[in-house]
Amino acid sequence: MQSNEIRSRFLKFFEERGHKIVPSSSLLPENDPSVLFTTAGMQQFKPYYTAPQNAQKDFDSKNTTSSQKCVRTSDIDEVGDKTHLSFFEMLGNFSFGGYGKKEAITFAYDFITKELGLTISYVTYYEGAGFIPADEKSKKIWEEIGVKDVRKDGSDVFWGPTGDSGPCGPTTEIYCKNASGEDVEIWNIVFNEYFCDGSREKFDKGEANLTKLETFGVDTGMGFERLLMTENKKDSIYETDLFEQVMSLIKEKAKNYNEKSARVVADHLRSALFMVSDNSIPGNKGSGYITRRLIRRAVVKASGLGLSDDVFGGILDKFVEKYKDIYPKVNNDIVRQEIKKEISKFKESLEQGIKEFNKDTDPFILATTYGFPIELTEELANEKGLKINREDFDKKMVEHQKLSKTASVGMFKGGLLNDNEKTIKLHTAHHLLLAGLQATINQNIKQKGSNINEERLRIDFLCDHKLTDEEKKKIEDWVNDKIKAKLNVVHKEMSLVDAQKIGAQMEFGAKYKDNVSVYFIEDDKGNQISKEFCAGPHVKNTSELASVFDPDGNPKGNFKIIKEEAVASGVRRIKAVLL
Ligand code: SER
C-alpha cells in the first residue's frame, strides 16, 4: 500500500467507528507556548482532556482522529538510521470520555491485524510505580484478544505530559517486525488518567504532582512512516514511497555517495519544507533556530556528498509533489525561496568556515562570523574525535550579547551571520572609514571609540581639526571606491604580538588578550588596505555593502557621512550611513 492509501484508510477506519476526522494543526503549537514544536498528535487536543465537555461542542463527538505533522528535535542526532526522523506524521485516535481501554486496544489490534494484515510481534504494559498501579487491565485485554507476548515495562511506558503541565498516563505499546526481522515500535496507546502539574522533567525528579483526571482519556500515536515501512516490508523508512524518489535523486547526483548523509539531507530538507510552510522561518531564536540548524546541517552533508546546488531545488520539488494534496501549504514558491535563501546565505561562508574549522578556530567565531550553529561544530568535532568546550562557547555568547548592548563595542545581538545584516554591513564600512581617514587625512589617525546600530555607524577619532567639506568628500569617495572594488574581508586569529607587529589597528587605550582576532580587507593580490583588531562579524566582500548596482551588476558607492563634529578637545566624531 502506498502512503496516501494507508493514511486515508486509518482515518476512515476511525471515522467509521465514531471519530471525527480533524485536520493536522500547525507545527507551531497554538495553545502551548511552553513547547517549540508540535511533538504529538494529542497536542491540539490537550485542553479537551481536562474539559471534555468542549469536545462534543467543537467536534460534535467525544472522539477524534487525525494525521498530525510533528517535529521532535530530541531525535535529530539519530536521524540517518533506519527509523528516526526529525519530521514525521503521527496517526492517532483520541477520546475524551468516549471509550475506555478495551475499545482503544481492540481498535488498534483490528487495524493492525485485520485492516493491514500485519502480525504483532509483542506489546508492553506499564509495571506501575509509587501510587500508580501496574496496568493489569491492559495486560488482560491483550491476552484475551490473543496476543501471546505481553511484556511488562517501566517508566518508558508512562507518557507525558507535554510542555509545562498536562494530561499523562500509562501506555501500552505495539511492536511489529520490519523487513530485517527487527522489532519496531509502531503504536503507542496512552491512557490519560492523570494530570501532572509540572513538566516531565520535574515529574521524573519527583518535583511534580499527579492528580486523577475526572474523565478517562485515550491518546494514541502511530508513527506514520514506520507503519508504512512495516506494511511495505521495507528495511528503512527511506525506502518507502515518501522518500524513494528523493533518495534516488541524491544517489544519482552525488559524487561521493554515503547512505547516512543522503538520509540526513532528505530528512532535514523535508522537515525544513514543513517547518517553513508553518512559518518557522530560519533565524536565530526559538523554532527558527531549529529550522536554520536543520538546513545548515543538510548543506554540510550535501557538500560532503558532492551535490551541486541545483539538487536542493529538485529535492524540494519532489517532496512538494508528494505532499501537496494532503498538506497544500507546502506547495508555495515563497516557502521554497525561503529555504533556498537560507541555503545560499550559508553557502557563502561554508567553504571558508570549514577551512577555519580545520584550523581549530574558536567555535564562537565559527558561529558569529561563518554562521555555524554550535551543534554543527560539535558534530564536526565529534567526527574528528575532538570535543568542543561548550561552556566556553556559551560564556562567550552571553558576553557577546552583553557587549552588544554597550555603546563602545557594538552591535551584534548574538547569534549567526545575516540576522543583523545592516549592522554587519555598517561594521565593515566602519573599518573602511578608519582606513579612509588614515589614507586621506592623516596616516596617524587613531580610533577612540565606536558605536553601530542598524541605521548608522559612529566613530570617534583623534584628530586636530574640523574636517572640511572637501575632506569629507574625499573620504566618502575613498570608501565608495573600496565598495566598488569588491575587496575580500578576511578573518585571522593570531597572537597579540604578531598582530601588533603587522600594525593591526587597535582602539586607542583598549586592552587586549594574548590571542586576538584580526580582520583584513584586501584585494585579489592580497594587498591589505585595512587590518583591525575585531571580533566581527563582517561581510565577506565589500561589494555586499552596496544596495545599488549599475546595469552590469557592479556595485555603486553608497557610503555617506551625515555628521562631523567635536566631542572633546582633539577628538572628532563622524556619523555615516549606507544609503
Ligand atoms: N502522545 C503519545 C505519543 O506521542 C501518543 O500519541 O507517543
Side-chain angles (χ1 to χ4, degrees), residues 39-42 72 90 94 159 185 188-190 219-222:
T39 57
M42 63 80 73
R72 282 192 186 173
M90 195 181 265
F94 310 88
W159 199 89
E185 182 209 328
N188 184 19
I189 301 167
V190 182
D219 151 28
T220 88
M222 174 149 60

